[in-house]
Amino acid sequence: MTEPVLSVRGLETEFTTDDGVVKILHGVNFDVMGGRTLGLVGESGSGKSVTAMSIMGLLPKPYGQVTAGEILYRGTDLVSLPPEEMYQMRGNRISMIFQDPMTALNPVHSIGKQLTEVLALHNPEMSKKAQQAAALEMLEKVKIPMPEKRLNEYPHNLSGGMRQRVMIAMALACRPDILICDEPTTALDVTVQASILDLMNDLQEETGMAMIFITHDLGVVAEICDDVAVMYGGKIVENADVFDLFDNPQHPYTKRLLGLMPDLTTEPKQLIDIPEIDPALFPEFRG
């Protein structure tokens, strides 16, 4: 068994609000193995994105903070890392793709400028010519048509799928060990979503990076993930291989999620709210 690239142990995160302190994560535990994709699954509000922002050190300050636990990247605890070292880690060793590329990309800078800026920040020794060549290579790698032309265009000139490919190119520019994908296909139509998932599978095979794929779509999980961590109420309630999860789910919440998946052999299911499940009833599954 290979060693995990990233281990999250007992992670607790809280936010300070006008109504007091609210704890969002309650002792989250999971491992991300090299060359594999971990699906972080759960309904909206379960704590998936807060987990990702905690790992990246991007919680809004001073309101959000990690209050307990460890985030171990190859043995280095990111929680206790000095800000300047975390800055170097972010983007270089651990990168992230966000859900809406239109808000993540700067509308007043060209695609080429934004790509070369990433390279300049993390590889200041690179010449401008080398940065331009690397930016062009990344656009080719993510299969953007006419990449030379796209370097001089702006985000509003591109379709949603192409903007997401630019975000992937930026995230992979420094060849990270881990790529965190926060619902990167949710805003895209089904055909574009399929092409983006195929692209990410291909890039993972090529680079050997590990991925954390955050989603609420179990169809996407089946398509791209090797392992799955099911999140509910700020905890991981089930951790399993993707085949085991679909064939033999253990936690009642996981069973309920799988039960709501549409299929072609039965009558359409009515989408209903999943009722509150008291974690105290299932102590063996506590995260």
Side-chain angles (χ1 to χ4, degrees), residues 19 34 41 48 53 63 69 74 85 91 99 104 122-123 125 129 190 192 194 231 238 247:
D19 298 321
V41 183
K48 306 184 302 295
M53 300 301 254
Y63 308 105
R74 297 193 181 277
E85 292 184 34
Q99 180 173 334
H122 294 285
N123 301 284
E125 71 283 353
K129 186 176 180 180
V190 175
V192 177
M231 199 161 195
E238 185 162 358
D247 292 341

Side-chain angles (χ1 to χ4, degrees), residues 34-89:
R36 291 174 70 86
T37 299
L38 173 75
L40 194 57
V41 183
E43 62 189 295
S44 297
S46 60
K48 306 184 302 295
S49 293
V50 172
T51 300
M53 300 301 254
S54 299
I55 293 170
M56 294 294 293
L58 291 175
L59 292 169
K61 302 296 183 184
Y63 308 105
Q65 58 180 333
V66 174
T67 56
E70 297 177 320
I71 303 169
L72 301 171
Y73 166 71
R74 297 193 181 277
T76 299
D77 186 6
L78 303 184
V79 175
S80 59
L81 213 59
E84 61 275 9
E85 292 184 34
M86 189 63 206
Y87 178 81
Q88 288 299 319
M89 187 77 70

Side-chain angles (χ1 to χ4, degrees), residues 78-212:
L78 303 184
V79 175
S80 59
L81 213 59
E84 61 275 9
E85 292 184 34
M86 189 63 206
Y87 178 81
Q88 288 299 319
M89 187 77 70
R90 191 187 305 121
N92 232 350
R93 309 314 313 152
I94 307 176
S95 281
M96 187 167 176
I97 303 171
F98 297 94
Q99 180 173 334
D100 185 357
M102 198 60 200
T103 57
L105 292 168
N106 191 323
V108 300
H109 291 308
S110 68
I111 299 303
K113 179 173 175 57
Q114 294 184 64
L115 268 167
T116 54
E117 186 176 41
V118 172
L119 294 163
L121 282 171
H122 294 285
N123 301 284
E125 71 283 353
M126 285 182 75
S127 67
K128 288 192 175 182
K129 186 176 180 180
Q131 290 171 12
Q132 286 285 339
L136 180 61
E137 181 187 349
M138 288 308 302
L139 291 186
E140 291 171 346
K141 188 169 287 189
V142 298
K143 301 177 183 177
I144 285 186
M146 297 183 289
E148 298 91 345
K149 178 185 177 185
R150 305 305 178 196
L151 284 173
N152 298 315
E153 292 187 334
Y154 292 82
H156 68 269
N157 298 128
L158 308 181
S159 67
M162 288 177 66
R163 286 196 293 265
Q164 197 58 277
R165 287 171 186 263
V166 170
M167 286 300 303
I168 294 170
M170 291 174 67
L172 298 183
C174 297
R175 294 175 170 79
D177 258 359
I178 303 171
L179 180 63
I180 301 175
C181 310
D182 190 1
E183 304 203 42
T185 60
T186 300
L188 307 176
D189 65 51
V190 175
T191 54
V192 177
Q193 174 176 296
S195 68
I196 293 292
L197 293 178
D198 287 342
L199 171 65
M200 298 185 77
N201 271 324
D202 292 343
L203 291 171
Q204 184 179 42
E205 287 182 14
E206 180 184 333
T207 63
M209 66 182 174
M211 286 201 298
I212 300 174

